[in-house]
Amino acid sequence: MHGSASDPTSLTVVHVVTLRDPASPLVAQFVPEAGMVGNSLTDAGVQLLGQRRGLAAYIAAGKTMGIPILYPWANRLGAHTYTAEGATVTLTPGENGVRTDPAGLPIHGVLAGYRGWRVTAQSVNEVSAELDFGADPQLLASFPYPHLLALTVLLAERTLTVRTTVRPTSERSVPLCFGFHPYLRVPDVARHEWIIETPPLCQLRLDERGLPTGEVVRQPAMATELGDEEFDDCYDQVDRGAVFAVRGGRHRMEVHFEQGYPAAQVFAPRGEDVVCFEPMAAPTDALRRGGYRVARPGEPAVAVFSVRVEPSSRRPARQS
């Protein structure tokens, strides 16, 4: 199904693709003309995604909300230049899709609100969209690796599954450093009562700019009340199939790292009713530091994560 949403900033109308789970009251919305962002996920009309500043701010200024793709790099880079796969690139803030964090570092890639996605298939509970990265000189100026980028989103059996395929279209391999930023919220429960759960993890210590220092700390599985804590932590060596979760009241939401996401960021800013378990194809700043995988010519790369919504078991918190 298609709908529309007015953007008061640009005074345009964008089409919204609505997906409905045949087996449950879950409904999801994605907006191809706004960077293929996941705009909404509701359970019987109750919103489960953090709306933050809303769709208009995402389109106009790249202010993330819902489930945005962070592409071609997730989180920040440590400088405005990088060298990867035989190419050296200089990034200019404010040009060719480059946005910066408060410290002036390039952050979250170049596709925030990008309008060039094309829907290639759609049904009641599934949509596929494609972006020809190599056809846009501005995109190539920031990431000179021609390829087709495809997303398929399926809503079934109380699970939203997002499949990403990177298919090189030249003889150059494509670095895989992207990710997603699902902003989850537990409705009708105070933030300090939310329980977050993580698997055993390998934490990368970060400096004051949010960049890995090289120090690594092993962290056991945990289940703990969020309380007044805040998180903005980076992890590597995430196991395939790892599950992160937040629960409270009548809802439990799980993020499954099904394939192609060996890194993660856990983000829960103080004073905001959201928590994010970010699937990442490589750790923060890997595009500069190395340690990323590549999609090779003739060998498309696939990555899959899913968000599962279940009734909460109301199990007591286990403090970390």
Side-chain angles (χ1 to χ4, degrees):
M1 296 178 61
H2 280 86
S4 65
S6 176
D7 171 21
T9 303
S10 61
L11 299 179
T12 61
V13 174
V14 294
H15 293 290
V16 178
V17 175
T18 300
L19 306 177
R20 301 183 185 277
D21 180 2
S24 80
L26 286 185
V27 177
Q29 292 184 335
F30 280 75
V31 190
E33 294 176 49
M36 196 58 185
V37 65
N39 184 50
S40 175
L41 177 64
T42 59
D43 187 11
V46 177
Q47 184 61 251
L48 303 178
L49 298 184
Q51 299 298 294
R52 309 189 84 209
R53 303 170 188 86
L55 182 62
Y58 181 64
I59 295 172
K63 302 297 184 180
T64 51
M65 54 82 66
I67 307 178
I69 185 171
L70 314 178
Y71 197 95
W73 65 85
N75 294 299
R76 54 190 50 79
L77 299 180
H80 292 94
T81 62
Y82 67 87
T83 299
E85 303 308 306
T88 297
V89 180
T90 298
L91 303 170
T92 302
E95 296 183 9
N96 303 319
V98 178
R99 303 183 187 276
T100 56
D101 70 3
L105 297 176
I107 192 167
H108 293 342
V110 299
L111 291 186
Y114 187 78
R115 303 184 70 91
W117 289 88
R118 180 176 65 92
V119 174
T120 56
Q122 186 180 346
S123 67
V124 171
N125 68 326
E126 186 174 19
V127 62
S128 295
E130 187 175 87
L131 168 60
D132 187 350
F133 207 94
D136 189 330
Q138 288 188 320
L139 294 182
L140 288 177
S142 296
F143 192 68
Y145 311 92
H147 62 283
L148 289 177
L149 175 63
L151 293 183
T152 296
V153 183
L154 173 67
L155 186 62
E157 298 179 349
R158 300 192 66 86
T159 302
L160 181 75
T161 301
V162 180
R163 179 184 180 93
T164 304
T165 304
V166 177
R167 186 183 305 275
T169 54
S170 76
E171 293 306 308
R172 177 173 285 174
S173 296
V174 182
L176 303 174
C177 298
F178 66 92
F180 286 81
H181 206 316
Y183 286 94
L184 304 179
R185 61 182 294 271
V186 181
D188 304 321
V189 178
R191 178 191 185 275
H192 69 270
E193 296 179 357
W194 298 1
I195 308 299
I196 62 171
E197 303 174 10
T198 64
L201 292 169
C202 181
Q203 183 176 8
L204 306 183
R205 293 296 195 196
L206 305 177
D207 64 18
E208 67 280 357
R209 298 177 299 164
L211 299 169
T213 64
E215 182 183 359
V216 178
V217 178
R218 295 286 178 178
Q219 177 179 299
M222 73 170 182
T224 186
E225 281 191 352
L226 186 53
D228 293 326
E229 296 294 322
E230 65 177 350
F231 292 85
D232 195 0
D233 299 333
C234 184
Y235 303 94
D236 197 6
Q237 302 178 42
V238 179
D239 290 338
R240 180 170 179 167
V243 178
F244 298 73
V246 60
R247 57 184 168 88
R250 295 178 296 172
H251 284 93
R252 171 185 172 88
M253 286 163 282
E254 299 177 345
V255 180
H256 294 244
F257 286 43
E258 298 188 17
Q259 176 183 349
Y261 293 113
Q265 192 92 1
V266 176
F267 179 61
R270 187 176 290 121
E272 200 171 341
D273 290 346
V274 293
V275 62
C276 307
F277 307 112
E278 306 172 36
M280 295 166 58
T284 295
D285 205 27
L287 190 56
R288 294 186 64 252
R289 300 168 184 245
Y292 55 78
R293 297 173 301 118
V294 298
R296 303 185 186 281
E299 301 176 15
V302 175
V304 182
F305 79 94
S306 61
V307 179
R308 179 166 179 78
V309 181
E310 297 182 335
S312 175
S313 63
R314 292 181 176 270
R315 289 173 290 183
R318 188 174 68 252
Q319 297 296 325
S320 61

